């Protein structure tokens, strides 16, 4: 799962660095709660973006848990927005992209700066899907492979076919709008 804040640059340009750090820490805390609640792990932060992994510690339905986390992340941003409006006269909107695929998960880095991360084309693909939200005018896209894992369990508004930077051909991406109620098991 990749997530990014829409229109972050104008927000960051309008505020002092201390306030940016404060807001990002609040935002990342809320995103982390939604991700951990669904057995995911934040692997990396890059500016206002984050990468989360699912299926590392719990391999049960990782694609569905990632989609659930994404939906909860949107709810968390809506809870954060009244604070941002009051303090900074701004709102956050986020974009999320999810891909289900094979990766190598391991520890990378030096000494005390090591972290668990994923490496592989599936990671790059998920990042490209998050970015494709701009072109598709959407906020939550999943790959065809992810959709195959969650079909019947999520609501999809539409399917868009787009070329993705660094990938050949067009790719079917599905806009997730909600979670279907599942009968208790």
């Amino acid at each position: 799962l990749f997530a990014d804040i829409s229109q972050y640059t104008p927000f960051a340009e309008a505020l002092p660095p201390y306030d940016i750090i404060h807001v990002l820490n609040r935002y990342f805390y809320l995103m982390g709660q939604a991700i951990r609640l669904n057995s995911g792990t934040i692997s990396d932060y890059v500016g206002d973006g984050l990468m989360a992994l699912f299926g590392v510690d719990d391999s049960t339905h990782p694609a569905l848990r990632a989609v659930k986390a994404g939906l909860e992340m949107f709810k968390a941003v809506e809870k954060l927005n009244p604070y941002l409006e009051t303090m900074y006269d701004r709102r956050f909107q986020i974009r999320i992209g999810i891909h289900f695929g094979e990766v190598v998960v391991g520890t990378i880095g030096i000494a005390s700066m090591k972290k668990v991360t994923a490496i592989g084309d599936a990671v790059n693909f998920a990042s490209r899907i998050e970015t494709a939200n701009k072109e598709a005018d959407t906020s939550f896209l999943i790959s065809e492979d992810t959709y195959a894992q969650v079909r019947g369990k999520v609501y999809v508004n539409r399917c868009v076919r787009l070329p993705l930077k660094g990938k050949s051909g067009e790719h079917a991406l599905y806009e997730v709008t909600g979670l279907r109620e599942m009968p208790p098991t």
Side-chain angles (χ1 to χ4, degrees):
L1 177 153
F2 276 83
D4 195 52
I5 300 171
S6 300
Q7 299 297 312
Y8 173 76
T9 301
F11 180 85
E13 288 174 347
L15 298 176
Y18 176 84
D19 288 337
I20 299 299
I21 296 284
H22 168 73
V23 169
L24 283 178
N25 279 329
R26 286 183 78 137
Y27 165 74
F28 286 134
Y29 174 79
L30 294 170
M31 299 303 99
Q33 284 185 313
I35 290 164
R36 281 191 305 276
L37 182 65
N38 289 284
S39 302
T41 304
I42 295 177
S43 169
D44 205 1
Y45 300 98
V46 179
D48 61 305
L50 66 83
M51 178 176 89
L53 307 175
F54 294 82
V56 175
D57 296 323
D58 179 357
S59 61
T60 312
H61 309 293
L64 182 59
R65 286 187 290 101
V67 170
K68 285 180 178 180
L71 291 167
E72 289 174 22
M73 290 165 69
F74 284 105
K75 289 178 187 175
V77 167
E78 285 309 309
K79 290 180 183 174
L80 177 63
N81 274 333
Y83 171 78
L84 296 175
E85 288 173 335
T86 299
M87 295 299 294
Y88 306 107
D89 197 28
R90 302 268 200 281
R91 293 179 57 80
F92 275 174
Q93 292 181 328
I94 60 172
R95 294 183 302 261
I96 294 176
I98 298 175
H99 177 58
F100 176 79
E102 290 188 18
V103 296
V104 173
V105 176
T107 305
I108 195 166
I110 58 168
S112 64
M113 296 177 62
K114 288 184 181 183
K115 65 179 181 175
V116 174
T117 194
I119 303 291
D121 188 56
V123 175
N124 297 328
F125 194 39
S127 174
R128 300 299 187 233
I129 294 167
E130 182 276 313
T131 302
N133 280 295
K134 291 178 192 174
E135 185 177 339
D137 194 26
T138 56
S139 57
F140 193 177
L141 291 173
I142 62 174
S143 67
E144 195 162 24
D145 291 330
T146 305
Y147 185 64
Q149 297 291 314
V150 300
R151 186 184 327 256
K153 297 174 184 156
V154 299
Y155 289 107
V156 171
N157 183 39
R158 63 188 170 127
C159 173
V160 295
R161 297 193 66 80
L162 295 171
L164 300 176
K165 184 179 176 185
K167 308 296 287 177
S168 60
E170 288 190 339
H171 299 272
L173 305 175
Y174 297 83
E175 180 185 18
V176 175
T177 59
L179 193 63
R180 293 182 185 270
E181 291 295 321
M182 304 303 295
T185 56

